[in-house]
């Protein structure tokens, strides 16, 4: 794949028109955190028929007829490039919308659709896939960070036919607004904490003992609400426990890491494309010493490096699409390599865009300021740069 098809371009342009009409006018409210993203995302689904597509395809997916690994953070529309194009276009304007959508669809709904029983899929899956309800995926804890499994302190203690859950989760996307929460914890069975089995439960807003905090203040991605979950003796029946499957809860989370990290590359591409577009326009229009700043070699160097980054990240995205079409799953190391390079490239391009704009770049009205703040998050969530390096190196050393 070397370029988007004519059909891809039609979809891209239609999504751009919707974004121009519905999202750009709301950017200030989204970036201030005053406007939660969910009504906008539901409008996107209704406009492009994604909710109806989810309903008509639910039965076959419920029965495992489709590979659940395709239900990732980037898969807002079904099928290859049609899935990633909305991700790229939304990320040009408000990457937080993609984060909120991807966690609800890809991580929360995706986990339930991959691991759940038919009854659990019926109970929680369809409402998440249509965005009638908002989902959260809760694994990160205040004391664990990148050591998500080893440092996990949240517990599930057997109590009769059910379980009692305790623990705190932090940095949870959609946490303040989630209706359905996929919650990871360790079985409290007396073994050393690092040796305990990882269990995955599905929880509902309003359960006694479950507190969802207001949104945390963040550096960027303000259009994606992030909060904490505080659990005190939350009683969960066995019907809320997702089957372990191959590898249990640890493997379920690892599969989601692959999906999430590959999706970050598409988000990074959107940020890079928008920063480059804004920078080229500014370099043409801004005049100093009697000429457009685009005539200066140092400005040209910045633009050239942005274009190199755009081409490289686009090629990573295209490779991922070709792998999907060939039926080849992305490995954790491959997804980590995509995420590492794309996240660094997006952050560097956005910072260079701010520099190119000078004092104007530091002002929020020029938007590159927002994109620079948002892009930095790509190097932290879904695994820090340092964790990506570890996963890539371990794969290389194991061959």
């Amino acid at each position: 794949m070397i370029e988007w098809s004519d059909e891809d371009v039609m979809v891209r342009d239609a999504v751009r028109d919707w974004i121009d009409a519905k999202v750009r006018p709301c950017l200030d409210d989204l970036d201030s955190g005053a406007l939660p993203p969910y009504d906008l995302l539901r409008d996107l689904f209704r406009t492009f028929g994604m909710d109806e597509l989810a309903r008509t395809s639910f039965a076959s997916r419920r029965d495992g007829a489709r590979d659940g690994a395709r239900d990732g953070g980037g898969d807002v529309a079904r099928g290859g490039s049609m899935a990633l194009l909305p991700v790229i276009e939304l990320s040009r304007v408000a990457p937080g919308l993609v984060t909120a959508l991807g966690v609800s669809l890809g991580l929360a709904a995706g986990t339930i659709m991959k691991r759940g029983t038919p009854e659990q899929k019926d109970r929680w899956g369809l409402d998440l896939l249509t965005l009638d309800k908002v989902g959260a995926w809760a694994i990160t804890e205040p004391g664990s960070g990148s050591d998500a499994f080893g440092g996990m302190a949240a517990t599930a203690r057997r109590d009769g036919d059910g379980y009692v859950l305790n623990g705190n989760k932090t940095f949870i996307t959609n946490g303040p607004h989630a209706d359905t929460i996929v919650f990871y914890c360790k079985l409290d069975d007396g073994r050393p904490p690092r040796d305990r089995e990882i269990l995955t439960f599905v929880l509902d807003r309003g359960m006694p003992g479950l507190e969802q905090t207001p949104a945390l203040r963040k550096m960027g991605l303000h259009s994606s609400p992030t909060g904490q979950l505080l659990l005190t003796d939350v009683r969960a029946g066995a019907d809320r426990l997702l089957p372990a499957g191959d590898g249990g809860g640890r493997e379920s989370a690892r599969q989601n890491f692959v999906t999430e990290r590959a999706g970050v590359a598409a988000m990074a591409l959107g940020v890079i494309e928008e920063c480059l577009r804004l920078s080229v326009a500014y370099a043409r229009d801004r005049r100093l010493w009697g000429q457009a700043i685009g005539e200066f070699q140092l400005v040209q160097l910045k633009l050239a490096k942005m274009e190199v980054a755009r081409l490289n990240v686009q090629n990573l995205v295209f490779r991922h699409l070709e792998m999907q079409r060939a039926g080849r799953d992305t490995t954790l190391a491959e997804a980590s390599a995509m995420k590492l390079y794309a996240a660094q490239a997006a952050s560097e391009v956005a910072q260079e865009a701010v520099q190119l704009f000078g004092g104007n770049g530091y002002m929020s009205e020029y938007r590159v300021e927002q994109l620079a703040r948002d892009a930095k998050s790509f190097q932290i969530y879904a695994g820090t740069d340092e964790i990506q390096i570890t996963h890539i190196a371990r794969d290389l050393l194991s061959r």
Side-chain angles (χ1 to χ4, degrees):
M1 182 174 182
I2 59 173
E3 61 184 13
W4 299 114
S5 69
D6 290 343
E7 184 180 7
D8 293 338
V9 172
M10 289 177 60
V11 171
R12 182 199 68 190
D13 290 347
V15 173
R16 281 185 184 177
D17 289 343
W18 179 86
I19 290 171
D20 288 343
K22 297 297 181 72
V23 180
R24 289 190 188 274
C26 301
L27 271 178
D28 287 339
D29 287 338
L30 285 167
D31 195 49
S32 70
L35 178 66
Y38 309 108
D39 285 342
L40 277 173
L41 293 172
R42 291 184 181 111
D43 187 85
L44 172 71
F45 264 47
R46 289 193 298 269
T47 299
F48 293 96
M50 296 176 189
D51 53 346
E52 289 303 317
L53 179 62
R55 291 186 180 93
T56 57
S57 65
F58 176 72
S60 60
R61 296 173 62 207
R62 171 188 179 274
D63 296 332
R66 295 189 181 182
D67 179 4
R70 296 290 183 258
D71 300 324
D75 291 345
V76 278
R78 296 297 145 204
S81 56
M82 299 302 174
L84 291 183
L85 280 166
V87 170
I88 295 167
E89 294 305 314
L90 283 169
S91 296
R92 294 175 66 132
V93 181
L97 293 181
V98 177
T99 302
L101 179 62
V103 168
S104 189
L105 281 187
L107 299 185
T111 299
I112 293 168
M113 295 303 294
K114 282 181 279 192
R115 293 279 173 168
T117 65
E119 292 75 20
Q120 289 170 331
K121 294 174 186 178
D122 284 340
R123 184 174 176 182
W124 291 294
L126 183 58
D127 283 343
L128 291 173
L129 292 170
T130 58
L131 284 189
D132 288 338
K133 290 189 175 180
V134 174
W137 190 76
I139 189 169
T140 303
E141 298 184 3
S144 63
S146 296
D147 186 18
F149 297 128
M152 186 177 291
T155 61
R157 174 176 53 83
R158 287 194 176 94
D159 184 59
D161 294 334
Y163 298 83
V164 177
L165 311 183
N166 283 281
N168 299 333
K169 301 290 182 179
T170 193
F171 308 147
I172 305 304
T173 297
N174 299 332
H177 301 274
D179 303 294
T180 304
I181 299 163
V182 175
F183 182 84
Y184 287 81
C185 58
K186 288 184 176 179
L187 178 62
D188 186 359
D189 57 3
R191 289 185 292 171
R194 285 187 173 271
D195 297 335
R196 293 176 182 176
E197 180 183 358
I198 303 291
L199 302 181
T200 311
F201 291 87
V202 183
L203 309 178
D204 293 312
R205 168 183 286 277
M207 292 178 67
L210 169 61
E211 179 184 353
Q212 298 170 238
T213 72
L216 300 168
R217 295 184 64 183
K218 302 182 303 217
M219 175 180 176
L221 285 187
H222 296 161
S223 53
S224 172
T226 301
Q228 294 177 300
L229 304 175
L230 312 177
L231 278 73
T232 305
D233 293 335
V234 174
R235 304 189 68 84
D239 58 324
R240 293 182 176 274
L241 176 63
L242 295 180
D246 295 337
R250 292 176 189 265
E251 182 58 29
S252 168
R254 286 193 181 98
Q255 291 172 357
N256 284 327
F257 289 148
V258 170
T259 298
E260 190 178 21
R261 290 173 187 178
V264 170
M267 296 178 68
L269 178 58
V271 169
I272 291 169
E273 287 183 346
E274 185 71 358
C275 286
L276 179 58
R277 182 187 74 82
L278 293 170
S279 296
V280 168
Y282 191 78
R284 286 175 177 150
D285 295 340
R286 174 66 166 159
R287 300 185 67 81
L288 287 174
W289 293 288
Q291 60 183 317
I293 65 170
E295 297 298 318
F296 299 117
Q297 259 191 332
L298 285 178
V299 172
Q300 293 173 0
L301 177 62
K302 292 181 187 299
L303 297 177
K305 286 185 174 180
M306 290 181 192
E307 174 65 359
V308 171
R310 185 194 69 81
L311 288 170
N312 285 339
V313 175
Q314 180 177 266
N315 286 339
L316 287 173
V317 171
F318 283 172
R319 178 181 183 272
H320 180 65
L321 290 171
E322 287 300 312
M323 288 174 64
Q324 284 187 319
R325 290 172 181 174
R328 173 153 132 42
D329 289 333
T330 304
T331 68
L332 180 60
E334 288 171 331
S336 295
M338 286 179 64
K339 198 261 189 188
L340 175 66
Y341 180 84
Q344 290 181 347
S347 187
E348 290 169 4
V349 165
Q351 289 292 336
E352 282 294 275
V354 171
Q355 193 70 23
L356 186 148
F357 274 67
N360 286 333
Y362 207 66
M363 301 294 110
S364 60
E365 65 183 288
Y366 284 86
R367 309 314 318 183
V368 291
E369 176 268 344
Q370 171 220 315
L371 292 172
R373 288 186 285 106
D374 290 353
K376 184 59 185 176
S377 69
F378 299 165
Q379 294 183 267
I380 298 172
Y381 80 70
T384 63
D385 282 2
E386 292 76 14
I387 288 297
Q388 312 308 321
I389 290 168
T390 297
H391 287 161
I392 297 165
R394 284 178 178 172
D395 182 70
L396 293 169
L397 292 168
S398 68
R399 294 178 186 175

